[in-house]
Amino acid sequence: MRMLILGGGMMGRAAVYDMVRQDDVEEVIVADVDRAVAEDAARFAGSEKVLPQVLDVTDRDAVLGAMETVDAVLSAVSYRFNLELARLAIEAGVHFCDLGGNNTVVEGELALSRDAEEKGITLIPDCGLAPGMVSLLAMAGMNQLDTTDRVRLRVGGLPVHPEPPLDYTIVFSVHGLINEYIEPCLAIRDGKTVTIDPLTEVEEIEFPEPLGILEAFHTSGGSSTLPTTLLGKVRDLDYKTIRYPGHVAKMKAMLEIGLASEVPVNVGAVSVAPRGILETCLEKNLSGDDDDLVVLRVTIEGTKDGDHAVAVYEMIDYADSKTGLSAMMRGTSFPASIITLMMARGETPAGAIPQELAVDSERFIEEFLKRDMPLTVSLATP
């Protein structure tokens, strides 16, 4: 198989690293608008299977030409390009998935389902960690139970050694981070779809030491299409982001005074959007050298054989010093790589389909565990 990864940044290079280690992958093209980035991603992968290529994803003809030479495409560029890239994938007749990150873009991609089906290809958006893998874990847990009442998705990327004032480090796009903190959150309450404000309903969540007590709060987008898919099938479902205690109160204060606004304000003789300043300051001050970790807990409550039952999927993953892969790179890119490979291998149906409906969750987990990821699964009944 020949694969194409668009974007050679942190997530793109991690996906390249994973794909070249699959026996049935003959070549991986890593394409970036910056030649140095593409070549660095190829060196990082450490394999002759990688072909770095200069490509501007806004160059329609060049992208189409690259897509027509491969079996599947993974987009690891900004979500704002994904809808047009999905259209080009359909035109090229090639499987396509992306890391997602924006609900409106995802809706646009899923609206292309008939065109994708006619071409016999699979198109799956939102294939990272959250949005992404958490949806498949929820489906796997539901498959373990006879009935499901409640699904709770809890995920966070954290620094190993938190430093004040925010006890956080940038582990993915700061623009996407702010979106999660300011956009409405979709959930299911008492069998109905509801919209919840972000940064609300803070709860304590405990993990083994040295992490201990952390906090979790609503953020946007992590559950992707799952609330729509499971409406009428579960009573309650929500997604919350995990941080060190006190983080949400500090972020909320900054946002409430307007620092995430995109409406320009006059500062002396200069007109500037506050959000741009906030994002720049966060990147400058929270992009340290500290290793990261990913914490995940997906809890599915219901019944099995007439008794109350709880299925729990949990992971605490740290940066891998041997490979140079951060925890967020592993947790985000490995799921996307797995799904891209499953599409190329013919394991998914044709159409533009949410991953929880297109991907065999047990098969996915099997592949994920092959990557030595510390995901644990438990099923508890009285």
Side-chain angles (χ1 to χ4, degrees), residues 13-22 25 45 325 333-334 337-338 341 371:
R13 71 173 59 189
V16 175
Y17 179 93
D18 182 70
M19 286 185 184
V20 297
R21 282 157 176 78
Q22 311 309 310
V25 172
L325 293 168
S333 298
F334 285 4
S337 174
I338 291 168
L341 291 163
R371 273 99 174 145

Side-chain angles (χ1 to χ4, degrees), residues 100-115:
N102 181 274
N103 294 336
T104 301
V105 172
V106 170
E107 289 175 4
E109 291 177 85
L110 294 177
L112 302 173
S113 189
R114 178 176 296 180
D115 294 337

Side-chain angles (χ1 to χ4, degrees), residues 157-309:
L158 303 170
V160 173
H161 304 102
E163 295 184 1
L166 295 180
D167 294 328
Y168 184 68
T169 188
I170 299 297
V171 293
F172 65 101
S173 163
V174 68
H175 187 78
L177 175 70
I178 297 301
N179 283 350
E180 292 181 4
Y181 283 3
I182 65 174
E183 294 180 354
C185 312
L186 193 63
I188 299 175
R189 292 276 173 85
D190 295 323
K192 298 179 181 179
T193 301
V194 297
T195 299
I196 302 173
D197 291 334
L199 307 184
T200 61
E201 299 185 5
V202 181
E203 66 183 45
E204 289 187 346
I205 182 169
E206 185 173 4
F207 285 88
E209 293 294 341
L211 294 176
I213 301 294
L214 304 176
E215 67 181 19
F217 50 91
H218 291 292
T219 56
S220 176
S223 59
S224 188
T225 53
L226 201 59
T228 301
T229 299
L230 296 184
L231 185 62
K233 299 178 182 178
V234 301
R235 186 188 67 235
D236 298 298
L237 178 149
D238 63 19
Y239 171 86
K240 293 185 179 182
T241 286
I242 300 172
R243 295 286 185 261
Y244 287 109
H247 175 88
V248 66
K250 297 167 185 174
M251 282 301 307
K252 195 171 184 179
M254 288 191 285
L255 301 183
E256 285 181 347
I257 64 173
L259 289 182
S261 172
E262 298 190 56
V263 179
V265 297
N266 294 324
V267 182
V270 179
S271 180
V272 60
R275 177 166 175 165
I277 297 175
L278 176 62
E279 291 184 0
T280 300
C281 289
L282 289 175
E283 277 194 314
K284 180 180 179 180
N285 292 284
L286 300 183
S287 298
D289 296 327
D290 188 29
D291 286 339
D292 71 331
L293 65 99
V294 166
V295 287
L296 173 151
R297 181 177 293 155
V298 175
T299 307
I300 306 95
E301 297 183 45
T303 64
K304 187 174 181 63
D305 299 327
D307 294 321
H308 178 260

